[in-house]
């Protein structure tokens, strides 16, 4: 048997020892190195010298003995920019970042794009302060890092939270280049596998006991802006409250894009709102089981969209003659109630942000919360929020409860024989101005909230066509607006555009074609969805000539509405997109009710909170 030797290989991640033989070929040895370091065969290079000289090539004719590599020698490994797990890391991590995460995780396209950007804030030469030539740089004009707090604070309006990718750049800055940084998710559960004692509640030790949590205001946010593509998307959602006076809920479908107003920022663009089955009253909402949820996500994905958040209304009419609403959410009450924070945390846990830099393969969430509520001017305003990663962990591990009589306060559960709950603290200021640590029983939910700006563009964008007579929205039977072939026949008769793509490009209409019980087109609508996604009229016409659409026409022809199967020249044109601000529509009067708890999501016994601690 050949004598075994040990070769040391040094890489940016440390030194590892490879067992080989003197007669072993260089190709076989490099395969062992690739397996040990987790590379593909072409993802690295190995050199005899530190200065990258004497490269060892994958030759099957040269042995280690011929290359004069002896027992105990030290070789040097350098990752290359070619394909392989390590190079994939470099596409999502800044240069010099030592990755502790999961190499096989596929990040979102926007994350892959931003990780490749420079991100620095470039400034022009100051004519008063700069004393150098046009090619020089000084402290007054040198580019700033994307996490520079002074720059963010002097923006208009000031930015309280840096972007998530700017936060990564901050972690990877400095002399060590983030060598010892890892994005680890918080856990509030006892670690399993500890055999030195009996399981809880009969035993616990420092190895398996979760650490106490001190709530801090999160310095970064995963999404920096929420933008509705046009006013019509939000206007149609508000119509339900205008006609019934009941609160309403919906899922936001759109895409994540770059938000250029903030360095390395991310924007959630909303193209459509899907309204699931629900029961709404003037002061509460209850979500029902949605059998079509998976189909809706699948159709949205084929349209190039995804679920980016959720929205609900908290509107109470103040003056029906003026069309004003009550301004109820402010610094003197609350911005999000504790139940809403728990619901937002639950949604964010269900939609994690894929991240290669985390050992778990995910870190935080891009799922946003939007609230339609009254503003300081007593008009309808849209406010955006997320909850912090700490709140997500407390919700995921069932450690946070809402308070029964104080919507602005949460309550950290106490340990029981069924569950161990770590201590949760937050910092406050007493009446003497001293900073003190308080136990989170109760807990001001302001420590858990991250606010996000919500906007409408100056130049509206239209992923879907806008019609003066739109197709009914799903699950609005309480208004008498039903989705059936009668409503489809009515819609087609009222929309006489000669361009078939403009008529069919309606998100709710496409969902009806796929989910209706008479003739679902889930298996034969892919071509139409591709036509809508790419705005290709030719593909739409090809699908229109299919047997499926002919059957749809036949079903609609049974209704008395004439259908524009053969539009003539001079037929009605595509309606002009509605680009004006939301109109002030008189509200239907109804008895005002005090807004208490908007969610009937978790039926748990919650402790009363008599204490009202001051909070920041």
């Amino acid at each position: 048997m050949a004598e075994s030797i040990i070769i040391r290989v040094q890489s940016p991640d440390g030194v590892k020892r490879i067992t080989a033989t003197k007669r072993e070929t260089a190709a076989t040895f490099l395969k062992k190195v690739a397996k040990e370091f987790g590379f593909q065969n072409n993802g690295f290079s190995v050199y005899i010298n530190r200065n990258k000289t004497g490269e060892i090539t994958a030759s099957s004719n040269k042995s280690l003995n011929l290359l004069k590599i002896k027992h105990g020698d030290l070789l040097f490994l350098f990752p290359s920019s070619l394909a392989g797990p390590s190079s994939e890391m470099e596409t999502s991590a800044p240069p010099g970042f030592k990755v502790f995460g999961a190499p096989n995780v596929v990040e979102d396209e926007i994350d892959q794009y931003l990780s490749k950007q420079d991100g620095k804030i470039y400034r022009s030469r100051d004519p008063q302060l700069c004393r150098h030539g046009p090619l020089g740089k000084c402290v007054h004009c040198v580019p700033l890092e994307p996490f520079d707090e002074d720059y963010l604070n002097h923006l208009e309006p000031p930015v309280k939270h840096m972007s998530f990718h700017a936060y990564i750049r901050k972690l990877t800055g400095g002399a060590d280049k983030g060598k010892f940084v890892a994005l680890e998710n918080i856990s509030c559960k006892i670690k399993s596998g500890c055999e030195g004692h009996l399981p809880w509640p009969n035993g616990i030790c420092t190895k398996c006991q979760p650490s106490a949590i001190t709530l801090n205001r999160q310095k970064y946010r995963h999404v920096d802006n929420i933008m509705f593509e046009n006013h019509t998307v939000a206007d149609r959602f508000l119509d339900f409250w205008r006609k019934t006076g009941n609160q309403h809920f919906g899922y936001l479908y759109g895409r994540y894009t770059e938000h250029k107003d903030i360095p390395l920022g991310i924007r959630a663009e909303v193209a459509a709102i899907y309204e699931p089955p629900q029961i709404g009253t003037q002061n509460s909402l209850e979500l029902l089981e949605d059998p079509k949820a998976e189909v809706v996500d699948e159709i949205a994905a084929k349209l190039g969209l995804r679920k980016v958040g959720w929205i609900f209304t908290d509107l109470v009419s103040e003056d029906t003659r003026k069309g004003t609403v009550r301004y109820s959410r402010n610094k003197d009450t609350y911005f999000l109630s504790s139940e809403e924070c728990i619901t937002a945390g639950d949604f964010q846990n269900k939609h994690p942000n894929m991240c290669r830099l985390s050992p778990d393969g995910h870190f935080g969430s891009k799922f946003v919360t939007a609230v339609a509520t009254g503003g300081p001017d007593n008009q309808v305003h849209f406010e955006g929020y997320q909850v912090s990663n700490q709140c997500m962990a407390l919700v995921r591990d069932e450690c946070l409860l809402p308070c029964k009589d104080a919507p602005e306060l949460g309550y950290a559960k106490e340990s029981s024989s069924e569950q161990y709950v770590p201590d949760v603290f937050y910092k406050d200021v007493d009446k003497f101005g001293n900073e003190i640590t308080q136990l989170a029983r109760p807990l001001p939910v302001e420590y858990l909230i991250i606010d996000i700006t919500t906007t409408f563009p100056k130049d509206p964008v239209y992923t879907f066509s806008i019609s003066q007579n739109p197709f009914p929205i799903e699950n609005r039977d309480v208004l008498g607006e039903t989705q059936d072939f009668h409503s489809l026949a009515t819609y087609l008769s009222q929309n006489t555009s000669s361009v078939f793509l403009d008529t069919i490009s309606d998100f709710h209409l496409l969902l009806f074609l796929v989910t209706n019980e008479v003739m679902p087109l889930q298996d034969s609508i892919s071509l139409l969805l591709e036509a809508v996604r790419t705005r290709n009229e030719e593909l739409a016409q090809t699908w229109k000539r299919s047997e499926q659409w002919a059957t749809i026409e036949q079903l609609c022809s049974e209704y008395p509405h004439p259908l524009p199967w053969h539009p003539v020249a001079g037929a009605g044109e595509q309606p002009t997109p509605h680009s004006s601000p939301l109109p002030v529509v008189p509200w239907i009067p109804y008895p005002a009710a005090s807004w208490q708890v908007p969610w009937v999501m978790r039926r748990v016994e919650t402790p009363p909170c008599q204490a009202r601690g001051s909070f920041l």
Side-chain angles (χ1 to χ4, degrees):
M1 182 176 178
E3 181 181 357
S4 298
I5 60 175
I6 295 178
I7 309 299
R8 296 174 297 160
V9 181
Q10 186 181 68
S11 75
D13 291 341
V15 178
K16 293 189 178 182
R17 292 171 172 81
I18 310 297
T19 302
T21 61
K22 291 182 179 180
R23 297 181 181 179
E24 190 170 284
T25 62
T28 305
F29 174 73
L30 290 178
K31 288 182 180 179
K32 291 183 178 180
V33 174
K35 182 178 180 181
E36 185 68 23
F37 284 91
F39 287 96
Q40 291 183 357
N41 293 336
N42 59 347
F44 66 98
S45 299
V46 177
Y47 300 89
I48 296 177
N49 302 313
R50 189 186 297 271
N51 58 358
K52 295 187 179 181
T53 59
E55 182 179 0
I56 301 176
T57 59
S59 174
S60 58
N61 299 325
K62 294 182 180 181
S63 64
L64 297 183
N65 190 29
L66 185 61
L67 295 173
K68 298 182 180 180
I69 298 176
K70 305 182 297 299
H71 175 72
D73 282 357
L74 178 63
L75 304 180
F76 302 93
L77 181 148
F78 294 93
S80 65
S81 58
L82 301 176
S86 181
S87 65
E88 290 177 1
M89 287 295 187
E90 291 176 1
T91 63
S92 62
F97 188 85
K98 180 179 179 180
V99 179
F100 290 83
N104 297 324
V105 173
V106 179
E107 293 182 323
D108 294 338
E109 291 183 6
I110 184 61
D111 292 319
Q112 297 179 27
Y113 170 78
L114 291 177
S115 64
K116 301 174 183 177
Q117 303 305 304
D118 180 22
K120 291 188 176 181
I121 306 163
Y122 289 92
R123 300 181 294 175
S124 58
R125 183 176 179 273
D126 193 313
Q128 296 181 348
L129 300 177
C130 295
R131 304 296 183 182
H132 50 77
L135 300 180
K137 291 291 183 182
C138 67
V139 294
H140 303 292
C141 61
V142 68
L144 301 176
E145 296 292 344
F147 50 83
D148 188 274
E149 293 186 5
D150 290 336
Y151 173 81
L152 297 177
N153 290 333
H154 285 85
L155 289 177
E156 186 60 39
V159 177
K160 297 185 294 184
H161 307 277
M162 70 181 76
S163 65
F164 178 62
H165 283 268
Y167 175 71
I168 292 178
R169 300 294 173 91
K170 184 175 183 179
L171 294 180
T172 57
D176 62 352
K177 299 297 182 182
K179 184 177 181 180
F180 304 104
V181 173
L183 299 178
E184 296 185 359
N185 292 292
I186 302 172
S187 176
C188 303
K189 292 184 176 180
I190 297 177
K191 295 180 181 179
S192 59
C194 192
E195 301 177 353
H197 54 78
L198 296 175
W200 176 264
N202 298 319
I204 194 171
C205 67
T206 56
K207 293 182 180 180
C208 60
Q209 179 182 7
S211 302
I213 298 176
T214 299
L215 297 177
N216 299 310
R217 297 190 184 276
Q218 191 165 291
K219 297 182 179 180
Y220 61 90
R221 55 188 176 188
H222 292 272
V223 175
D224 304 279
N225 178 255
I226 304 172
M227 187 185 77
F228 291 86
E229 284 191 345
N230 51 74
H231 289 279
T232 306
V233 175
D235 204 25
R236 293 193 67 191
F237 175 74
L238 291 178
D239 277 344
F240 184 90
W241 176 80
R242 289 169 176 163
K243 295 176 180 179
T244 65
N246 295 334
Q247 310 305 330
H248 209 47
F249 171 94
Y251 287 115
L252 306 176
Y253 281 86
R255 58 187 70 86
Y256 295 112
T257 60
E258 181 183 9
H259 182 46
K260 297 183 178 180
D261 295 341
I262 296 178
L264 300 177
I266 294 179
R267 165 182 286 162
E269 292 186 2
V270 180
I273 300 177
Y274 169 72
E275 301 175 8
Q278 57 193 281
I279 298 176
T281 65
Q282 296 177 6
N283 60 357
S284 67
L285 276 171
E286 182 178 0
L287 300 184
L288 306 178
E289 183 179 358
D290 186 7
K292 302 178 181 179
E294 294 183 1
V295 177
V296 175
D297 289 341
E298 181 182 346
I299 298 304
K302 292 182 179 180
L303 291 169
L305 306 176
R306 60 185 294 183
K307 192 182 293 182
V308 299
W310 62 300
I311 183 174
F312 65 93
T313 61
D314 177 13
L315 295 168
V316 176
S317 180
E318 186 173 60
D319 190 331
T320 57
R321 293 172 298 178
K322 296 180 180 179
T324 56
V325 293
R326 184 180 303 172
Y327 178 40
S328 58
R329 293 178 181 248
N330 50 61
K331 61 182 179 63
D332 297 324
T333 55
Y334 58 90
F335 296 100
L336 281 183
S337 69
S338 55
E339 279 203 272
E340 292 161 359
C341 288
I342 292 174
T343 307
D346 185 58
F347 280 136
Q348 291 181 205
N349 283 316
K350 292 178 180 178
H351 301 84
N353 175 49
M354 306 311 294
C355 181
R356 287 195 180 109
L357 311 183
S358 172
D360 300 323
H362 60 85
F363 186 77
S365 174
K366 295 193 191 77
F367 204 78
V368 298
T369 299
V371 186
T373 184
D377 57 353
N378 297 111
Q379 298 297 322
V380 177
H381 284 239
F382 291 85
E383 308 294 341
Y385 302 98
Q386 276 192 310
V387 294
S388 65
N389 291 6
Q390 290 179 326
C391 179
M392 290 175 59
L394 293 174
V395 173
R396 181 191 64 240
D397 297 332
E398 299 181 354
C399 299
L400 184 62
L401 296 174
C403 283
K404 183 182 298 183
D405 59 344
E408 73 277 6
L409 298 176
Y411 195 90
K413 288 176 63 176
E414 300 182 27
S415 297
S416 64
S417 58
E418 291 80 16
Q419 179 187 8
Y420 175 82
V421 179
D423 291 331
V424 182
F425 302 95
Y426 69 93
K427 293 185 178 180
D428 202 351
V429 178
D430 62 12
K431 62 180 180 180
F432 302 106
N434 301 319
E435 187 177 71
I436 57 176
T437 301
Q438 298 272 23
L439 187 63
R441 301 189 183 109
L443 158 70
V445 296
E446 279 82 358
Y447 285 89
L448 311 175
I449 298 175
I450 302 168
D451 61 311
I452 304 174
T453 56
T454 304
T455 57
F456 291 83
K458 293 182 179 179
D459 300 320
V461 181
Y462 296 92
T463 299
F464 302 101
S465 301
I466 301 300
S467 171
Q468 294 179 351
N469 301 288
F471 189 73
I473 297 177
E474 59 282 338
N475 299 312
R476 286 195 175 185
D477 297 345
V478 67
L479 295 179
E481 300 176 6
T482 58
Q483 286 188 342
D484 50 27
F485 283 94
H486 182 277
S487 58
L488 177 58
T490 304
Y491 170 78
L492 293 176
S493 66
Q494 293 175 346
N495 292 271
T496 58
S497 173
S498 59
V499 181
F500 178 70
L501 183 63
D502 291 341
T503 303
I504 208 69
S505 293
D506 185 292
F507 182 71
H508 308 285
L509 170 59
L510 294 172
L511 292 182
F512 169 73
L513 293 177
V514 174
T515 60
N516 72 88
E517 297 179 355
V518 178
M519 185 182 176
L521 303 179
Q522 185 172 359
D523 299 329
S524 57
I525 203 173
S526 298
L527 184 64
L528 177 61
L529 298 179
E530 179 66 17
V532 174
R533 185 183 69 85
T534 59
R535 305 298 302 171
N536 191 323
E537 171 66 16
E538 184 177 351
L539 282 179
Q541 290 291 340
T542 302
W543 187 86
K544 182 181 178 181
R545 293 189 291 270
S546 65
E547 296 181 0
Q548 289 78 13
W549 182 248
T551 306
I552 294 293
E553 289 181 340
Q554 183 65 32
L555 291 172
C556 292
S557 64
E558 299 178 2
Y559 295 94
H561 300 279
L563 299 179
W565 307 138
H566 306 287
V568 296
E573 299 295 331
Q574 174 71 7
T576 303
H578 174 65
S579 58
S580 60
L582 292 174
V584 178
V585 180
W587 321 119
I588 296 178
Y590 58 88
S594 60
W595 179 263
Q596 297 177 355
V597 179
W599 300 113
V600 191
M601 293 284 291
R602 295 171 174 265
R603 302 182 182 278
V604 294
E605 291 297 329
T606 58
C609 293
Q610 304 297 336
R612 296 290 193 276
S614 62
F615 40 87
L616 303 179

